[in-house]
Amino acid sequence: MLLFTPGPTPVPQNVRNAMGQETMHHRTPEFEAIFEKTRKHLFNLLKTDEVVMLSSSGTGAMEAAVINLCHNTLLNVNSGKFGERFGKIAQANGLGSIEIKNEWDTPVDVEDILETLKNNPNIDAIAVQVSESAGGLRHPVEALAEEVKKINPDIMIIADGITAVGVERIDVGHIDCLIAGSQKALMLPPGLSILGLSNKAVEKIGSGKGYYLNLASEIKKQRQNTTAYTAATTLVIGLLEIFETIERDGGLEKLYDETSRRAKAVKAALETIGLHVYPKIPAPSMTTIDDVDASQIRTLLKENYGVNVAGGQDHLKGKIFRINQMGLISVYEMAWVVNSVELVLNEIGRRKYDGSANKIFNEIFFNLKTNS
Ligand SMILES: *Cc1c(COP(=O)(O)O)cnc(C)c1O
């Protein structure tokens, strides 16, 4: 079965092997050496002033960011389930909470953010997804951050990059916290989350908030290549192997370029066979299709072609399907996925199969390469 859900993503065989070795104790020079190397790779990936790894799924890092970087009121952007989660985290922690809500296909309007800030001087942090995985859209995070910082550089910008870090280069010039998670673009099992922090964020964190999620305790320890509590050793070992695999494959820039071409090629291939891309501004992490037959298409993809894609949640349940584009993906697998979608459309009597999806996919994927 080809796993093409936008999280979890498949774990490469060599990475599974690396994680299958004997248990390593976390307070040893051997593990500290691995931790140090992984940390260096993370600085290179995130381009932030500080980095911290946590043993938690992505939501743990979201909560750590909110409690440590917001001391008054959080403004969260809700264009989907993950954006909504930031507001719930603020409320659960007794913080003020203001939300800008849009339909799940609509990125936030920077003007709406600026207007909301004007009317709510208590807002001291803004939380937004880079790529909102609920509908597969890309928010204008970099532009938003730049405009906010012009008005008030003390407002913390928290960017959830769980389906964006490792997918595309993110300009962190005006971002205070960039979050990543293991089971999406980083091609690992779930359980490790990562926060990249600006110097300004580290300053605001001070002595930190919370206990397990206190970022001050972690920053102090991780600068010494250890962790405050037991590290997720297996996942850190896996992450180092991921970085070395990406390097062997040609490096991050090549991965970003391939992901971008893959995203464009999949989108064009599916549009060619009459499907509609859901978000107004799609993120390169996934292609989301809204379709009356979404549910049936998903089932047939799985049963007849061995392709597992994700559906939708809440009001989009049964109305969309989402195809992953994150990670090191073989071209022949991606080509098979779009071909399978076309075969399914033939099967349900929507369109006669003529191989167009595969043709367009290959044309765009390989032509963009020779032209660039
Ligand atoms: C997957 C995901 C998360 C984190 O979810 P967990 O289940 O806690 O790992 C957060 N934000 C986005 C955009 C995601 O795609």
Side-chain angles (χ1 to χ4, degrees):
M1 182 71 68
L2 292 179
L3 181 61
F4 265 85
T5 57
T9 56
V11 181
Q13 180 65 57
N14 62 304
V15 177
R16 280 182 276 151
N17 291 347
M19 294 188 299
Q21 304 306 308
E22 275 181 23
T23 302
M24 192 181 276
H25 194 282
H26 57 292
R27 308 283 181 209
T28 53
E30 291 82 3
F31 183 68
E32 282 168 20
I34 290 170
F35 195 91
E36 184 177 9
K37 277 193 210 162
T38 310
R39 216 172 121 79
K40 281 209 182 100
H41 281 290
L42 280 174
F43 275 106
N44 181 49
L45 173 70
L46 298 166
K47 309 279 184 209
T48 49
D49 300 318
E50 190 53 79
V51 303
V52 163
M53 288 176 254
L54 296 177
S55 309
S56 77
S57 85
T59 308
M62 292 168 76
E63 182 152 10
V66 169
I67 66 174
N68 285 274
L69 293 174
C70 179
H71 297 164
N72 190 332
T73 299
L74 182 77
L75 170 60
N76 70 294
V77 169
N78 175 357
S79 293
K81 236 183 154 46
F82 295 103
E84 178 186 45
R85 187 170 298 175
F86 271 126
K88 289 183 173 172
I89 290 170
Q91 287 156 25
N93 284 284
L95 293 161
S97 164
I98 295 171
E99 178 172 278
I100 293 179
K101 195 171 174 174
N102 281 316
E103 192 35 64
W104 290 14
D105 63 349
T106 308
V108 69
D109 185 340
V110 177
E111 286 307 317
D112 283 352
I113 296 270
L114 301 183
E115 192 60 29
T116 309
L117 287 181
K118 218 183 280 170
N119 299 328
N120 300 278
N122 287 339
I123 293 169
D124 65 330
I126 300 175
V128 58
Q129 275 56 41
V130 181
S131 153
E132 167 56 80
S133 318
L137 69 77
R138 178 66 157 86
H139 281 299
V141 180
E142 294 91 338
L144 181 164
E146 187 172 2
E147 290 308 311
V148 169
K149 292 289 180 181
K150 277 184 200 159
I151 295 172
N152 182 353
D154 291 334
I155 294 177
M156 291 284 116
I157 307 289
I158 300 168
D160 168 1
I162 292 175
T163 50
V165 173
V167 170
E168 56 179 315
R169 169 73 62 223
I170 301 157
D171 178 2
V172 292
H174 303 281
I175 290 172
D176 295 292
C177 175
L178 180 62
I179 299 169
S182 55
Q183 81 274 28
K184 309 280 173 79
L186 298 179
M187 299 170 270
L188 288 169
L192 188 74
S193 68
I194 296 139
L195 298 105
L197 299 162
S198 69
N199 285 331
K200 219 170 158 61
V202 174
E203 206 178 295
K204 180 158 183 184
I205 289 165
S207 57
K209 289 270 164 62
Y211 187 80
Y212 186 68
L213 298 179
N214 184 314
L215 291 178
S217 329
E218 289 298 344
I219 291 168
K220 186 169 163 235
K221 289 288 183 184
Q222 296 194 21
R223 281 177 177 166
Q224 300 157 35
N225 299 314
T226 186
T227 48
Y229 314 105
T230 307
T233 45
T234 309
L235 291 169
V236 176
I237 290 165
L239 183 54
L240 180 56
E241 187 68 23
I242 287 283
F243 281 127
E244 290 175 351
T245 306
I246 292 172
E247 259 181 15
R248 274 198 300 276
D249 194 63
L252 280 173
E253 291 308 323
K254 175 165 176 265
L255 174 61
Y256 297 152
D257 171 58
E258 272 187 11
T259 309
S260 160
R261 285 190 285 125
R262 186 155 57 230
K264 286 175 187 151
V266 170
K267 180 173 181 284
L270 298 185
E271 283 175 341
T272 297
I273 55 171
L275 295 173
H276 178 255
V277 171
Y278 174 68
K280 288 176 185 152
I281 309 282
S285 53
M286 68 194 77
T287 293
T288 304
I289 298 294
D290 57 324
D291 196 278
V292 282
D293 297 320
S295 183
Q296 197 188 2
I297 292 171
R298 258 188 86 204
T299 306
L300 292 175
L301 278 174
K302 197 165 175 178
E303 284 176 1
N304 296 348
Y305 303 98
V307 174
N308 188 2
V309 301
Q313 293 164 294
D314 295 358
H315 66 292
L316 291 184
K317 197 169 179 359
K319 299 202 166 119
I320 60 165
F321 63 94
R322 295 173 295 154
I323 302 175
N324 176 54
Q325 274 136 211
M326 295 177 277
L328 295 161
I329 299 176
S330 303
V331 190
Y332 62 85
E333 288 189 355
M334 198 78 249
W336 172 249
V337 172
V338 296
N339 186 57
S340 300
V341 176
E342 187 178 347
L343 286 166
V344 166
L345 292 188
N346 182 67
E347 224 175 304
I348 62 175
R350 285 263 299 262
R351 186 184 178 281
K352 192 169 160 24
Y353 179 82
D354 61 6
S356 293
N358 214 328
K359 178 172 181 288
I360 296 295
F361 172 82
N362 282 304
E363 247 174 44
I364 295 198
F365 186 84
F366 291 106
N367 275 332
L368 279 174
K369 188 176 188 175
T370 36
N371 293 342
S372 64

